[in-house]
Amino acid sequence: MNFTEAKAYIEEITRTKKISLGLSTMEKLLKRLGNPQEELSFIHIAGTNGKGSTLAFIASVCQAAGYRVGRYHSPSVFSYCEKIQVNGECISEKDAARLIREVRRVSEEMEAEGYPHPTAFETETAVSFLYFREQGCDLVALETGMGGEGDATNVVKTTVCSVISSISMDHMQFLGDTLEKIARVKGGIIKPGRPVILCGQSERVEGVIRAICQEKKAVLTVSSPEDARVTETGLWGSRFSYGNFSEIKIPLAGKYQIINACTALEVVEILRDLGYDIEENAVYEGMACVRWPGRFEILLERPLFVLDGAHNPEAAERLKDSLNLYFTNRRIIYIMGILADKDYRNIVKITAPLAERIYTVTPDSPRALSGEKLRLCIEEEAEEIGFSGEVQEKDSVREAVHDALDQAGEDSVIVAFGSLSYLGELSKALKESIHD
């Protein structure tokens, strides 16, 4: 099996094996693979928004401190292999194909014996565990795919600490229809007696997580991002002080990244308490050199072209806050592509009023909302939400990027956002348009 064949296999089981939360299939799969996860130490991260950025901060600091750090997150944005990394280096196509082939062999044995065939996410999670064991990782920053309690990643038992980022309404068909129900599912990653770090947020969420911690005798630390003292913020990042750390510099733009950074700093303090050797200079170095592509990322300066993964209402609110902070009185053009199972009407209500022109596209995903339906939604909501601009559906991402660049003056801002699944295509289309 070469890499092309391996990707085709993953795409096939993505289409044919439906999402089902629960650990029994994953446990059977890993047992047959020798339980590689039992030889690893995990920082396990769940949440609705911000978990990937928080993971990136933590991994970067631990790497700067000299640890060999595995990172597992999804979905991929720019390349398939980016979801599995060690010290910032993506798994090679050769290694990915080799390990997918091994997991496929075991999966087909399971299916032949009458057990369910593992899903794509279960397959990729197993591949990551095998790779991190081979690579001799000291720590693995592990992001849940969806939820927590029944998520495939929750098979791990060697958790150093559990981290829970911002929680909001998303994936309600799987996780529950109230904030409390969703928080309870996310809190399912909490392990007995192991430290928990929660991003400071609503009392409703904190109350649920605190109750789980009490039940499992897990010490809870809650970050207080409102206590961060911001001395500088702009399109190229922020500088702030928090707790014992003064003048921390982060290169990620977006007001919300300070919130994620504060959570990461609390994790660093817990790791130090647990005996991990993380010196002061490693904290500053790691925070300053973190990378997290596709999250309020500037791809072009004139006109300004911003890529962002805002794909649910809370993320849309955070995007709106950043646009109001950085681009007051600037002409804003959107390129929007959203998945049909997201709360796209509320995303439209939150973001559309800031734009003068909107191009809608259909992401390359079986879950995609068509560009036509998104355009109709914007037109239906326009009067109520105060959107008086123009909205056009485009047949392709490339066409939307070309027209947005054609319409934008040097002082305009183009913001492409929505599903993470099409950000890579957007980035590629922009590069092609620039070179045309």
Side-chain angles (χ1 to χ4, degrees), residues 41-250:
S41 298
F42 296 94
I43 300 168
H44 201 183
I45 305 174
T48 307
N49 292 301
K51 61 181 184 288
S53 300
T54 304
L55 175 149
F57 283 123
I58 296 166
S60 186
V61 169
C62 291
Q63 180 182 339
Y67 291 100
R68 190 161 179 77
V69 184
R71 289 171 53 168
Y72 179 61
H73 63 86
S74 61
S76 296
V77 176
F78 298 107
S79 74
Y80 177 81
C81 290
E82 73 186 36
K83 64 181 66 179
I84 300 174
Q85 301 179 26
V86 174
N87 279 7
E89 294 292 325
C90 300
I91 186 173
S92 70
E93 293 184 356
K94 181 179 179 181
D95 283 333
R98 172 177 58 85
L99 293 173
I100 290 171
R101 181 174 65 245
E102 172 64 9
V103 176
R104 178 180 184 172
R105 179 186 64 78
V106 174
S107 298
E108 290 176 347
E109 287 176 0
M110 288 172 57
E111 191 171 37
E113 295 173 21
Y115 296 111
H117 189 294
T119 64
F121 184 70
E122 288 168 335
T123 298
E124 291 167 339
T125 303
V127 166
S128 77
F129 293 161
L130 289 168
Y131 186 66
F132 295 145
R133 182 177 66 177
E134 286 182 358
Q135 292 291 309
C137 291
D138 303 305
L139 284 166
V140 174
L142 178 69
E143 180 186 334
T144 60
M146 180 176 63
E149 185 174 24
D151 186 80
T153 63
N154 205 33
V155 292
V156 302
K157 295 181 172 64
T158 52
T159 303
V160 174
C161 62
S162 302
V163 185
I164 300 175
S165 67
S166 178
I167 293 175
S168 63
M169 303 297 287
D170 200 5
H171 297 299
M172 283 90 80
Q173 69 273 37
F174 295 104
L175 307 182
D177 57 2
T178 69
L179 201 57
E180 288 83 358
K181 288 178 182 177
I182 293 173
R184 198 165 291 113
V185 173
K186 304 278 187 185
I189 69 166
I190 295 170
K191 299 296 186 290
R194 305 310 300 161
V196 178
I197 301 90
L198 171 68
C199 173
Q201 51 198 290
S202 74
E203 291 182 6
R204 294 167 63 190
V205 168
E206 184 177 331
V208 171
I209 300 302
R210 192 172 293 281
I212 296 173
C213 288
Q214 289 171 350
E215 177 189 337
K216 296 191 176 182
K217 296 181 171 54
V219 176
L220 175 65
T221 299
V222 182
S223 70
S224 303
E226 68 276 7
D227 293 339
R229 301 171 299 284
V230 182
T231 54
E232 179 186 335
T233 188
L235 289 175
W236 308 107
S238 300
R239 190 184 299 274
F240 67 98
S241 299
Y242 179 76
N244 296 321
F245 302 102
S246 298
E247 296 296 308
I248 289 279
K249 177 75 170 68
I250 59 172

Side-chain angles (χ1 to χ4, degrees), residues 186-428:
K186 304 278 187 185
I189 69 166
I190 295 170
K191 299 296 186 290
R194 305 310 300 161
V196 178
I197 301 90
L198 171 68
C199 173
Q201 51 198 290
S202 74
E203 291 182 6
R204 294 167 63 190
V205 168
E206 184 177 331
V208 171
I209 300 302
R210 192 172 293 281
I212 296 173
C213 288
Q214 289 171 350
E215 177 189 337
K216 296 191 176 182
K217 296 181 171 54
V219 176
L220 175 65
T221 299
V222 182
S223 70
S224 303
E226 68 276 7
D227 293 339
R229 301 171 299 284
V230 182
T231 54
E232 179 186 335
T233 188
L235 289 175
W236 308 107
S238 300
R239 190 184 299 274
F240 67 98
S241 299
Y242 179 76
N244 296 321
F245 302 102
S246 298
E247 296 296 308
I248 289 279
K249 177 75 170 68
I250 59 172
L252 305 184
K255 189 177 178 181
Y256 55 89
Q257 292 296 2
I258 295 173
I259 297 172
N260 299 327
C262 289
T263 304
L265 290 172
E266 295 286 3
V267 174
V268 169
E269 292 284 40
I270 295 298
L271 291 174
R272 284 171 152 182
D273 291 344
L274 292 172
Y276 286 88
D277 184 13
I278 304 175
E279 295 183 359
E280 201 87 351
N281 64 325
V283 180
Y284 287 88
E285 178 187 338
M287 298 295 280
C289 68
V290 70
R291 292 189 67 253
W292 192 231
R295 279 69 171 183
F296 212 86
E297 182 182 11
I298 297 169
L299 299 185
L300 187 67
E301 291 189 50
R302 285 186 178 274
L304 205 62
F305 195 111
V306 179
L307 206 62
D308 192 71
H311 62 285
N312 57 40
E314 185 189 23
E317 286 282 4
R318 292 182 172 189
L319 174 60
K320 183 181 81 169
D321 288 345
S322 294
L323 294 178
N324 282 329
L325 177 66
Y326 300 131
F327 305 131
T328 304
N329 300 323
R330 298 277 293 272
R331 179 173 179 252
I332 295 175
I333 298 170
Y334 287 161
I335 300 172
M336 295 178 67
I338 302 176
L339 300 184
D341 55 6
K342 298 296 180 179
D343 187 1
Y344 60 89
R345 287 195 175 274
N346 269 327
I347 295 172
V348 165
K349 289 177 181 178
I350 292 163
T351 59
L354 298 181
E356 182 177 306
R357 180 183 291 266
I358 301 175
Y359 297 104
T360 66
V361 297
T362 306
D364 183 15
S365 167
R367 296 160 52 203
L369 178 73
S370 72
E372 179 187 13
K373 285 187 177 179
L374 182 56
R375 173 182 61 79
L376 290 172
C377 173
I378 295 168
E379 290 174 344
E380 289 167 8
E381 301 287 349
E383 185 175 352
E384 181 182 340
I385 65 178
F387 171 68
S388 57
E390 184 178 351
V391 56
Q392 294 180 27
E393 171 201 351
K394 292 297 177 182
D395 292 332
S396 68
V397 169
R398 180 181 173 83
E399 185 182 349
V401 169
H402 180 274
D403 282 21
L405 289 170
D406 190 53
Q407 287 292 323
E410 283 201 353
D411 292 329
S412 297
V413 180
I414 301 169
V415 184
F417 69 98
S419 169
L420 287 166
S421 64
Y422 87 120
L423 296 190
E425 187 181 358
L426 272 162
S427 179
K428 181 181 178 182

Side-chain angles (χ1 to χ4, degrees), residues 299-300 401 405 427-436:
L299 299 185
L300 187 67
V401 169
L405 289 170
S427 179
K428 181 181 178 182
L430 178 60
K431 290 174 184 175
E432 290 173 349
S433 294
I434 292 170
H435 293 129
D436 280 353

